[in-house]
Amino acid sequence: MNSIPESWKTANITPLFKKGDKRDPSNYRPISLTSVVCKVLERLIRDHLMNHLKMNNLLSNKQYGFIPGRSVSLQVLTVMNDWTKTLDKGESVDVIYLDFLKAFDSVPHRRLIHKLKSLGVHTQIIQWIENFLTGRTQKVVYNGHNSAAETVGSGIPQGTVIGPGSFLTFIDDITDDINSAIYLFADDTKAYRSINQFHDCNQLQSDIDKLDSWSRNWLLHFNQTKCKVMTIGKSDIRHDYHMSKQDGTVMNIERSKSERDLGVLVDEQLSFAEHIHKISCKANGIMAVIRRTYSNLDISCFLLLYKALVRPHLEYCATVW
């Protein structure tokens, strides 16, 4: 069971563009295309792992990613409920949006195995995951051209079945000893605190320092340039929060007036006006493409295209905004 064929450890990488400059390779997500037969066995391993974590209540209730019964909408609604209660009291909230530097691709294998052992996962499952992750190779396939195969030294392959569950076990304890509210969706992390006085700012900064320390200890570093702070509501207290870079230098976290929170554009007043404008423009743009592409389009075909291409943008997290 623990011996995996070498062909199962070879992945063809398809680069999936995220956002930003298309000429920058760091703006692409590497999706691993692996053996279909291997995925069947991965599913069995994944189910056993997740059942073990769920039955023994080993996952934090602050994690909403890749867990049955939890979703983006549920997490954002929970957070919005906290924020609106604070605004109703006439107070403000400081929110820290944290961004990991290639989170899935940076997970150290030995530290991951150490955490799986500490959670009491069955020895054979751990050995299979360790064998699956070590000795892997990958090559980029794009427009019919292949790059040279390279050895993978760290990380959990994105696109594999076992990947999400393994990542959850690795990042789960980041919420330990954090006094401020903190929520995760896989690697998307945000921490926030109601601000009434400078002491609250200091408490939030203390939690940022703890998160910073965790990232250094477990070699899952933050991308400080993409971490943001946003103050929701009116406040006379403006505090400069900071983080440490990998070289030890300290830099202030950049302030933002609006931030995309799991696909929902949130501003300082929770108005959602900018979010509604953007999704309306997106939907209208897709409608224009449909009109230009199809010269003869009956109502049934139009409804199929509308439901598949347009409506998902309008309905995404509609319960939130």
Side-chain angles (χ1 to χ4, degrees):
M1 173 182 176
N2 297 327
S3 179
I4 298 177
E6 291 301 317
S7 59
W8 290 11
K9 296 185 179 184
T10 302
N12 292 337
I13 300 296
T14 297
L16 183 63
F17 178 69
K18 295 185 290 185
K19 60 181 180 179
D21 187 356
K22 289 189 176 182
R23 296 170 295 181
D24 185 355
S26 64
N27 290 329
Y28 290 82
R29 190 187 309 278
I31 302 299
S32 298
L33 302 180
T34 56
S35 168
V36 175
V37 178
C38 182
K39 288 181 182 295
V40 175
L41 183 54
E42 282 185 73
R43 186 177 297 276
L44 298 175
I45 301 295
R46 188 273 314 272
D47 290 345
H48 180 91
L49 175 62
M50 297 306 294
N51 287 337
H52 172 79
L53 297 175
K54 184 177 180 180
M55 289 175 58
N56 294 282
N57 198 27
L58 296 174
L59 287 176
S60 169
N61 60 4
K62 303 298 183 181
Q63 175 63 262
Y64 281 74
F66 308 122
I67 298 177
R70 299 189 181 183
S71 64
V72 170
S73 297
L74 186 59
Q75 196 223 78
V76 181
L77 280 173
T78 302
V79 171
M80 289 294 171
N81 186 50
D82 285 350
W83 293 350
T84 51
K85 284 182 178 178
T86 302
L87 295 183
D88 288 342
K89 296 177 184 177
E91 302 171 356
S92 64
V93 181
D94 277 358
V95 186
I96 310 295
Y97 287 98
L98 300 167
D99 185 87
F100 284 100
L101 186 64
K102 296 189 176 299
F104 276 78
D105 302 325
S106 303
V107 173
H109 295 160
R110 292 178 64 182
R111 283 171 167 78
L112 171 62
I113 298 303
H114 169 76
K115 288 196 173 185
L116 289 172
K117 290 179 180 178
S118 67
L119 293 173
V121 178
H122 195 281
T123 302
Q124 285 188 311
I125 299 296
I126 295 176
Q127 290 175 349
W128 192 93
I129 294 175
E130 184 175 17
N131 193 287
F132 177 77
L133 292 176
T134 55
R136 297 188 65 86
T137 58
Q138 63 183 25
K139 58 183 178 180
V140 178
V141 178
Y142 188 73
N143 282 345
H145 298 282
N146 299 341
S147 70
E150 295 289 342
T151 302
V152 180
S154 66
I156 301 172
Q158 299 185 61
T160 58
V161 178
I162 196 65
S166 300
F167 184 80
L168 292 187
T169 61
F170 185 81
I171 199 174
D172 188 70
D173 63 345
I174 194 174
T175 61
D176 293 352
D177 300 323
I178 302 299
N179 296 316
S180 302
I182 182 170
Y183 285 90
L184 298 91
F185 193 91
D187 62 317
D188 286 303
T189 307
K190 55 178 169 282
Y192 60 87
R193 194 179 189 89
S194 176
I195 304 299
N196 296 312
Q197 52 188 339
F198 281 107
H199 173 73
D200 297 319
C201 299
N202 293 332
Q203 287 292 316
L204 184 54
Q205 179 61 60
S206 175
D207 288 329
I208 295 172
D209 294 339
K210 292 177 183 177
L211 294 169
D212 221 358
S213 176
W214 183 95
S215 71
R216 290 192 297 272
N217 290 338
W218 294 101
L219 303 182
L220 197 67
H221 299 290
F222 289 115
N223 185 354
Q224 290 83 0
T225 59
K226 291 187 177 181
C227 295
K228 306 289 183 182
V229 57
M230 182 172 64
T231 298
I232 298 176
K234 296 180 180 179
S235 175
D236 296 328
I237 302 175
R238 290 279 172 163
H239 184 76
D240 290 329
Y241 300 97
H242 59 267
M243 300 180 72
S244 299
K245 299 175 71 174
Q246 295 185 34
D247 59 6
T249 59
V250 177
M251 65 173 292
N252 286 340
I253 303 176
E254 183 181 348
R255 281 199 166 270
S256 174
K257 293 183 178 295
S258 63
E259 200 65 28
R260 189 170 294 280
D261 191 338
L262 298 180
V264 179
L265 197 60
V266 179
D267 59 28
E268 294 177 307
Q269 304 303 323
L270 297 185
S271 68
F272 298 110
E274 188 177 356
H275 176 76
I276 294 171
H277 173 72
K278 284 186 176 295
I279 63 172
S280 298
C281 291
K282 180 72 172 179
N284 285 330
I286 297 173
M287 289 286 289
V289 171
I290 293 175
R291 287 196 299 268
R292 289 196 304 267
T293 304
Y294 298 91
S295 55
N296 297 311
L297 191 64
D298 60 29
I299 187 65
S300 60
C301 291
F302 170 76
L303 284 175
L304 287 174
L305 292 169
Y306 178 81
K307 291 176 181 178
L309 303 177
V310 180
R311 198 167 72 178
H313 293 283
L314 300 175
E315 292 184 343
Y316 178 78
C317 280
T319 52
V320 175
W321 55 266

